[in-house]
Amino acid sequence: MEYEEIARIISEAEKKTPAVVYVRGEIDEDNAKKSGVKVFRSGDYILVGDWEKIKQVIKKTEEIHVELKGRYSALPLADLRRFQARIEPGAIIREGAEIGMDCIIMMGAVINIGAVVGEGTMVDMNAVIGARAIIGKYCHIGAGSVIAGVLEPPSARPVIIEDRVLIGANAVVLEGVRIGMGSIVAAGAVVIEDVPEGVVVAGIPAKVIKKVDDVQEDKKSILKELRKR
């Protein structure tokens, strides 16, 4: 997905304040249906939709509880039912992101619009995958790491991480960088230029320090057992 398309989608999207509202009182059910507000009733009402529209269908309240899930949000969160992956509670995945088969998305991970996460890849806790970033198959994106997006300022080239790459905790990969297949980015590294296949990079800025072949096997293995749904 090109950045022009993403920018257009965001700018043209109806900005909404998604909410769940519990109401004891009266509502205009016909108006709710016309405006797209979902109504659930078991004694009291449960209304799901845009807060600005919900307000318009409430006629009388004896008691009300409002839970806002965002404020003037341009894009909804993705419907997780369409992904064949293990997604833990607290992960944030925007509509327009793609998650491959048997991925693992851990608590607190954020995956933005246009990002692609390949089959079997783990995105660890609090990692951020920016807009349009492309992550290959069977990678590990370490906890707290940041894979930069390319929306603002706009860039013609997204971050590309090829298959079987390991990104250490709290590492940062900047806009436009490509990480070659099977390479390892050490924890805390800041990658500002392309990384060839099969090497280990470390430092700020990241530099090649050795070949992956010199790394012990148990320090670069991917556990298939974790990827079972």
Side-chain angles (χ1 to χ4, degrees):
M1 188 180 291
E2 295 299 323
Y3 75 85
E4 295 95 341
E5 181 181 0
I6 296 173
R8 179 188 59 78
I9 290 171
I10 294 173
S11 65
E12 295 179 0
E14 179 184 0
K15 306 307 186 287
K16 297 182 179 181
T17 299
V20 178
V21 179
Y22 303 84
V23 176
R24 181 170 300 149
E26 298 179 14
I27 69 166
D28 184 342
E29 293 197 43
D30 290 337
N31 191 18
K33 186 175 182 180
K34 292 177 183 177
S35 62
V37 174
K38 296 179 181 179
V39 179
F40 302 88
R41 185 170 186 180
S42 178
D44 301 327
Y45 291 100
I46 302 175
L47 309 178
V48 180
D50 181 16
W51 169 237
E52 302 302 324
K53 294 178 179 178
I54 291 175
K55 287 192 297 185
Q56 296 172 13
V57 307
I58 299 173
K59 297 170 65 176
K60 178 182 177 182
T61 62
E62 298 173 15
E63 193 170 355
I64 186 170
H65 174 72
V66 179
E67 295 180 3
L68 300 185
K69 306 299 183 181
R71 189 62 168 155
Y72 302 127
S73 176
L75 292 171
L77 297 181
D79 183 349
L80 301 185
R81 293 175 295 180
R82 70 185 181 88
F83 301 129
Q84 298 300 310
R86 177 156 70 86
I87 301 173
E88 296 294 345
I92 299 174
I93 302 173
R94 301 294 293 276
E95 187 63 46
E98 294 296 329
I99 308 297
M101 183 81 71
D102 294 333
C103 286
I104 304 171
I105 313 299
M106 295 297 287
M107 302 82 73
V110 177
I111 301 175
N112 209 350
I113 181 174
V116 177
V117 181
E119 175 184 345
T121 284
M122 175 187 282
V123 180
D124 216 333
M125 293 182 292
N126 300 317
V128 175
I129 310 298
R132 295 179 61 220
I134 300 172
I135 312 295
K137 299 179 180 179
Y138 297 101
C139 296
H140 182 104
I141 310 301
S145 58
V146 176
I147 310 302
V150 284
L151 276 184
E152 190 176 66
S155 170
R157 182 181 169 193
V159 173
I160 298 175
I161 295 177
E162 297 183 2
D163 296 349
R164 298 186 180 277
V165 167
L166 303 181
I167 306 291
N170 298 313
V172 176
V173 180
L174 296 187
E175 294 90 342
V177 167
R178 187 182 195 104
I179 310 273
M181 183 180 298
S183 286
I184 298 174
V185 176
V190 177
V191 186
I192 64 173
E193 57 187 17
D194 290 355
V195 174
E197 295 184 6
V199 299
V200 179
V201 297
I204 303 174
K207 301 293 183 183
V208 176
I209 60 171
K210 58 184 171 182
K211 293 185 178 298
V212 167
D213 290 344
D214 298 328
V215 177
Q216 294 178 14
E217 196 62 37
D218 62 346
K219 293 185 177 180
K220 60 183 179 180
S221 60
I222 295 292
L223 300 179
K224 292 183 179 180
E225 295 84 355
L226 295 178
R227 286 149 176 80
K228 293 180 180 178
R229 283 178 281 125

